[in-house]
Structure formats: C-alpha cells, structure tokens
Amino acid sequence: MYHLLQENKSISSDMHYCGDSIVCEYDGFIEIFDEKTKNRIEINEKFAIENTNTSEYLLVSTKNKILKISMSNLLIETLVDFPPVQRRQIKFVNDIDAICREKDNDKWFLRGVSLTSELIKWEVENDTTFTVEVVGDFVLLTDSEKNSILTCRSLKTGGVLWQADVAELGRYENFEGKVVDGSIREVYTDGDLVVAKVISYGLAAYRMATGKFVWGHKGGNAGYYLVALYNNNFHIFSDFYYEVDAQTGKKLRQEEFAPLLKQVGFRSYWLTQPAVNEKYIAIASHYDSAILLINRADFTVAQRIDLEGCQNGIPLPNTPRFHGNRLFQFDGDGTLHVFQED
C-alpha cells in the first residue's frame, strides 16, 4: 500500500530524476530535492533540463549556454557558450556530442554539434522535423507537418538513412466520414528496433539500421491506446490490457481491465498513459482525480489513491511515475503528490 508522503505546490512543467535527487523544472528556476538528506535547493535561473541519464550531474541549457550542474556540490560549470539564437532545443548524445534544433534568422536548422569545441559538424535546414531520439549512430525524427513520416538520419553526417510512412498503415475514417491518414504520436526504442505509436492503429516496429518493418500490434475499438515500455515489454491499455514483447511483437498477456475500473469507480475514458514497475501498474483518471494501482502478478486492484483537494483533475500528459519505492503524480492544480510504499 502507498501512503501520502508530501505535497509540493508548484507550477512545475516537468520532473526528472538524477541519482538520489528529484529535479523539478519551473517557469524561471529549477528545484533540486535530495531524497536521502531531504534537502531542497532552488537555482533561480531559467533552464531547460535536457538530460538526466547520469547520477553524477545534470545537463541543462539556456538560450546561449549548455551547463553542467554537479549533484554532489551543485556547482554550475559552463560547457558551451553558443551564439544566441531565437530558440534552441537540445538532445544530448554524450559528453561530447549533441543534436540541436535551432531557430536562427526565422529559419529552423537541425545541427550536429560538438560540446567540447563548439563546432557545428553538420546542419540541415528544415522547418518541420524535430529530434525524437538519438540511439547509437542514429538520429530518429518525426515531422510536425507531415506527421506520418519517421526519418532516420546519420548522427555523423546528418544524412537521411531511411524513411517510413505510416499514412496508409493507420488510415481511418473519422466521424465526419473523412478519410484521415495515419500519424505518429510517440516513438520508443528497444535494442535495434524503433517502435512508432500510430494513431488509430497501434504499434509499428522497424529495424533501426534499415527501416525494415518488423512487426505491428493493432489496437481495438476502445477509442484510446495507452502505452508504457518497461523491461523490453510494452504494456498497453486498449480494448483489453495487453503485454507485448518489444522485440518480436508477440502477445504475452491479455486481460480484461474494465471490471477493475468498475470496482474502484473509475470512468473508462480520459485516462493517462500507464506507469509500470516490478510489482505494479499505475494509471490515473482525469475526471476521478485518482490513481488506480494494479498488481502485476495477478492483475487485481491493489489500491485506489485519491488526490485529496485536487480541483482540476489530472491532465492526460501527467503520467504517474515510479521511482524506487515512491510514486509521483502531478495534478491539474500544479501540485506534486508524492506517495511512498509501506
């Protein structure tokens, strides 16, 4: 069972983990909370948190700088001092390389840059693509205008290696009788595969090196297709609850979950994406301002967790998050609810 540990009033836009610290990103500053010491520190500069894959430091960016914040002493080191641009979005590859999407003189560029020499290794003028993921030597992008296209570029040269178009795969007829092309909502990676979540279809997996279609999983008629990737398996809520092997697309499990929603009084619509750990699956309801915790072993209700005092529900992008023995949930009022397992 989980009990409420604390509530943090904020207007935080996102939350990240870095070692034993929780880092909250706000409008104008970031806040670092050390779970072990309970110390809470504010850094009053406007940062965009770009990478938290290491427990030793946090990489953040401003309009013209890339900074490293040490988690041991919170010292801030400037890695790169770029010329100012109108807007910059960064995807860190490692301590040496990064991919930048930058707006400069009213044009958007995709650039491969060096963090050590401030050198632009390559650039592509493109107004519509944005970086989704960087894996090994591959840069995976979707297109904000023609969002049925998944593009794979070379990290070294920026050249296009392959493209996949899901327009036909996800094509459907809407309520007005209009035929709508399939489009990509999210992208996941697992080993040598890239998996696209395609609206009105499900999941479509491609070989990262070649773009070859490997497998697909089609959703039902529930009106939603909610996905989490955990330990090489996809956990999916659609007409049923499914577990699907990320490498093969094989269906590993299928369960009815409507009875669980009914048991805890959840409405069967406006649900967030799920979160998964070794013991539980968590999914939150916007209208019920609560989290449903499901036992993974036997797919039974473990707990309904209500967000006391929540006035504006749970926005759908605010997926529950597990970290260690804690469960985190942002609500629509700007409150971070922290629950801890007994």
Side-chain angles (χ1 to χ4, degrees):
M1 298 287 287
Y2 280 79
H3 67 273
L4 182 65
L5 183 66
Q6 64 189 54
E7 292 180 322
N8 300 328
K9 282 288 184 183
S10 70
I11 51 170
S12 179
S13 59
D14 208 351
M15 176 181 66
H16 310 262
Y17 308 116
C18 191
D20 293 317
S21 297
I22 302 166
V23 184
C24 289
E25 186 176 347
Y26 299 85
D27 185 16
F29 67 97
I30 63 173
E31 181 182 65
I32 301 173
F33 174 70
D34 189 306
E35 289 195 282
K36 283 188 174 180
T37 65
K38 311 304 180 189
N39 290 333
R40 189 185 307 275
I41 298 168
E42 288 185 10
I43 301 178
N44 291 305
E45 292 189 47
K46 188 170 184 177
F47 295 137
I49 299 173
E50 306 290 357
N51 182 294
T52 54
N53 293 332
T54 170
S55 61
E56 298 176 1
Y57 56 84
L58 186 70
L59 293 172
V60 301
S61 68
T62 65
K63 280 191 174 182
N64 64 326
K65 293 180 185 293
I66 297 176
L67 308 171
K68 178 193 285 187
I69 302 177
S70 169
M71 287 292 100
S72 59
N73 54 24
L74 297 180
L75 291 178
I76 301 177
E77 173 190 355
T78 299
L79 292 181
V80 180
D81 194 350
F82 280 121
V85 293
Q86 290 169 281
R87 190 175 177 188
R88 177 177 286 122
Q89 300 165 316
I90 299 176
K91 189 79 173 184
F92 289 97
V93 180
N94 47 46
D95 288 351
I96 300 173
D97 298 298
I99 302 297
C100 293
R101 182 174 183 255
E102 300 177 337
K103 189 175 184 181
D104 196 2
N105 293 323
D106 293 324
K107 292 182 180 180
W108 281 100
F109 294 87
L110 186 70
R111 290 167 169 154
V113 301
S114 168
L115 298 179
T116 54
S117 64
E118 304 182 20
L119 175 70
I120 296 176
K121 296 181 176 181
W122 54 264
E123 72 175 23
V124 178
E125 184 178 338
N126 195 317
D127 291 335
T128 60
T129 60
F130 61 95
T131 305
V132 174
E133 194 64 72
V134 181
V135 181
D137 293 328
F138 305 106
V139 183
L140 302 165
L141 309 108
T142 57
D143 192 301
S144 59
E145 287 188 358
K146 188 171 175 52
N147 54 6
S148 67
I149 301 289
L150 175 64
T151 300
C152 181
R153 290 185 178 271
S154 165
L155 176 63
K156 295 179 180 178
T157 68
V160 174
L161 300 176
W162 56 264
Q163 289 185 315
D165 193 337
V166 304
E168 184 176 351
L169 184 69
R171 190 166 290 152
Y172 67 99
E173 186 175 307
N174 65 16
F175 292 116
E176 298 174 350
K178 181 181 177 181
V179 176
V180 180
D181 284 347
S183 58
I184 298 170
R185 176 63 58 86
E186 294 174 52
V187 172
Y188 308 86
T189 60
D190 185 86
D192 64 342
L193 296 184
V194 52
V195 184
K197 178 181 172 183
V198 182
I199 295 174
S200 292
Y201 174 78
L203 296 176
Y206 301 88
R207 194 72 63 195
M208 203 173 305
T210 64
K212 180 182 178 182
F213 180 81
V214 179
W215 60 261
H217 178 267
K218 189 163 175 46
N221 298 315
Y224 50 81
Y225 192 85
L226 308 172
V227 179
L229 176 60
Y230 179 77
N231 279 359
N232 309 111
N233 291 332
F234 284 102
H235 300 258
I236 303 163
F237 286 83
S238 184
D239 51 339
F240 291 92
Y241 167 78
Y242 301 97
E243 291 179 14
V244 173
D245 186 288
Q247 282 294 304
T248 66
K250 180 182 178 181
K251 183 172 67 176
L252 305 174
R253 186 177 187 179
Q254 178 176 321
E255 304 277 0
E256 287 193 61
F257 70 92
L260 304 189
L261 300 180
K262 185 176 181 180
Q263 182 179 337
V264 298
F266 262 36
R267 278 161 268 203
S268 59
Y269 49 89
W270 281 60
L271 303 173
T272 68
Q273 305 265 57
V276 184
N277 69 6
E278 289 295 327
K279 293 174 63 176
Y280 301 111
I281 305 161
I283 190 166
S285 167
H286 167 76
Y287 284 115
D288 298 296
S289 300
I291 306 166
L292 170 59
L293 206 62
I294 300 170
N295 293 305
R296 284 187 61 191
D298 57 5
F299 206 71
T300 57
V301 172
Q303 188 178 355
R304 170 177 166 145
I305 305 174
D306 289 284
L307 305 188
E308 299 294 341
C310 177
Q311 299 295 315
N312 292 295
I314 300 172
L316 296 188
N318 292 9
T319 302
R321 301 191 192 185
F322 289 110
H323 185 61
N325 67 339
R326 292 185 180 175
L327 174 64
F328 300 84
Q329 180 68 66
F330 274 117
D331 68 17
D333 302 334
T335 300
L336 174 61
H337 303 259
V338 185
F339 302 91
Q340 182 165 299
E341 188 176 20
D342 296 328

